Amino acid sequence: MKSEKILITGALGQLGTVLTNELQKKYGINSVIATDLRPNFDFNGVFETLDVTNFKAIEECVIKHNVTQIYHLAAILSANGEKNPLKTWDINMSTLFNVLEVSRLCNINKIFYPSSIAVFGDEIESVNTPQSPNLTPLTVYGMSKVAGENWVNYYHKRYGLDIRSLRYPGVIGYQSLPGGGTTDYAVDIYHKAVNNEDFECFLKASTMLPMIFIDDAIRATLELMDAPRKIISIRTSYNLAGMSFTPNELYNSIRKTYPDFKISYNPDFRQEIADSWPKSIDDNTARKDWGWKPNYDLDSMTNIMIQKLKAQYHSVVA
């Protein structure tokens, strides 16, 4: 384990920030190379400024650090992606191709590729959406993830690369601010509540979506990557579930701590995106293959989110 060298792209994003820290704990601070497009001069550990659209730069970084595993998190997300569809497609696909080719040429042992519930379109069973439905996404982000799932499956079948993937639901965490996703209302709302501000939601009160607490999302990632290769039956991407709720249910959970908290609803273009996604996910294949099981429900997540954000804002004020 100590000989592993882990490269993470998009390490300063919502998922990358937490995953980097957990991988440092697991493999050692000097065994994890965090990278992102923008520099981070305060980073605790090994950090490289890296443009993942530059094939040569990735290859040089991999060789320089003797990288054995890659977690490719860099991407433009769903809501931001719709503002510039062609750029989103180009960046999301070109960065994946670069990582796949570098991995093939440099004999990388293991690769993680995050997918998303954005791969599902409106031609699915929206309740308990199965592992292998018809994938007709309505966003460029979702289209790029469907294509990405097929490419990682191809590289596994064609070249034998050990690539593993999860279809994340909306990820809710306290460690970073929202990053441009359709489910990000469920992060922003906690910040507003803790700061005694009213919240305007860009989705309807009744919009049910699958979500997952950041701690569960990170644990699922590490459990999948630690699972024996022979038990991995899905080489596109595993369905992953945590919990499902509506903005109104989340609001009522927060009001147990902040009874005077106010919410209003002003649906925008993200409503159409959310309407095309599942209400809940069937993740029985992940449960069967590598023993996945979430630890958090809505109220337990709310309690931790409020506790952590209050501590963060109090420290800033102090």
Side-chain angles (χ1 to χ4, degrees):
M1 180 178 295
K2 292 300 181 182
S3 63
E4 297 285 358
K5 285 295 186 75
I6 317 296
L7 176 69
I8 306 171
T9 73
L12 300 183
Q14 181 196 24
L15 191 67
T17 301
V18 187
L19 184 57
T20 298
N21 185 54
E22 291 304 311
L23 286 169
Q24 286 177 331
K25 293 178 185 176
K26 182 178 178 66
Y27 292 99
I29 196 167
N30 294 321
S31 295
V32 178
I33 300 90
T35 74
D36 212 298
L37 190 58
R38 63 189 190 277
N40 184 346
F41 300 108
D42 298 322
F43 185 79
N44 183 26
V46 183
F47 186 88
E48 296 268 8
T49 302
L50 182 65
D51 180 356
V52 199
T53 64
N54 185 332
F55 174 87
K56 196 64 179 175
I58 304 171
E59 186 179 41
E60 289 174 354
C61 190
V62 165
I63 294 171
K64 173 184 175 182
H65 293 282
N66 297 309
V67 169
T68 61
Q69 295 186 26
I70 298 178
Y71 288 71
H72 176 48
L73 308 183
I76 298 177
L77 302 183
S78 59
N80 281 347
E82 292 306 288
K83 298 172 185 176
N84 198 332
L86 296 183
K87 178 182 178 182
T88 298
W89 175 264
D90 183 50
I91 288 178
N92 287 1
M93 296 311 301
S94 65
T95 57
L96 173 60
F97 291 144
N98 286 343
V99 167
L100 290 175
E101 274 298 283
V102 167
S103 297
R104 179 179 70 84
L105 294 171
C106 295
N107 298 312
I108 297 299
N109 295 340
K110 203 178 292 184
I111 305 103
F112 178 74
Y113 173 69
S115 190
S116 164
I117 58 169
V119 298
F120 303 116
D122 54 5
E123 299 180 16
I124 55 163
E125 301 171 47
S126 62
V127 177
N128 290 326
T129 300
Q131 173 65 48
S132 301
N134 180 33
L135 301 180
T136 53
L138 299 184
T139 65
V140 175
Y141 173 67
M143 290 163 59
S144 72
K145 287 300 181 183
V146 171
E149 288 187 12
N150 286 319
W151 274 107
V152 300
N153 183 60
Y154 175 84
Y155 267 74
H156 171 70
K157 301 287 188 184
R158 177 72 174 78
Y159 302 113
L161 289 184
D162 187 0
I163 314 174
R164 306 178 184 198
S165 179
L166 295 171
R167 289 172 180 157
Y168 290 114
V171 178
I172 302 173
Y174 53 86
Q175 293 91 340
S176 59
L177 294 172
T182 301
T183 57
D184 278 350
Y185 87 87
V187 177
D188 191 27
I189 190 172
Y190 287 108
H191 288 265
K192 293 296 193 296
V194 169
N195 284 305
N196 297 312
E197 300 175 21
D198 295 346
F199 179 67
E200 182 178 273
C201 185
F202 54 72
L203 298 180
K204 296 176 182 176
S206 59
T207 306
M208 177 78 71
L209 287 173
M211 303 284 188
I212 192 168
F213 185 47
I214 186 73
D215 289 8
D216 273 343
I218 297 299
R219 182 172 56 83
T221 305
L222 298 179
E223 287 179 358
L224 173 64
M225 293 297 278
D226 285 343
R229 181 170 179 157
K230 64 183 179 181
I231 71 171
I232 304 299
S233 68
I234 302 296
R235 288 295 181 171
T236 50
S237 189
Y238 278 98
N239 275 6
L240 184 72
M243 65 194 90
S244 290
F245 55 79
T246 67
N248 186 62
E249 288 171 339
L250 175 52
Y251 168 63
N252 286 328
S253 180
I254 292 172
R255 286 186 66 226
K256 293 175 183 178
T257 303
Y258 294 100
D260 296 328
F261 181 49
K262 298 292 192 299
I263 191 171
S264 59
Y265 297 94
N266 185 23
D268 62 16
F269 73 97
R270 288 165 285 197
Q271 183 65 52
E272 183 178 0
I273 297 174
D275 287 343
S276 73
W277 288 353
K279 293 180 173 64
S280 59
I281 299 291
D282 179 352
D283 62 357
N284 279 325
T285 305
R287 291 172 181 257
K288 174 176 64 70
D289 282 4
W290 42 276
W292 163 246
K293 184 179 180 181
N295 287 338
Y296 294 90
D297 61 14
L298 176 55
D299 283 340
S300 60
M301 177 181 71
T302 292
N303 290 337
I304 295 178
M305 286 292 291
I306 290 173
Q307 173 190 341
K308 295 292 187 179
L309 288 177
K310 282 175 67 176
Q312 286 180 19
Y313 284 112
H314 177 73
S315 66
V316 169
V317 172

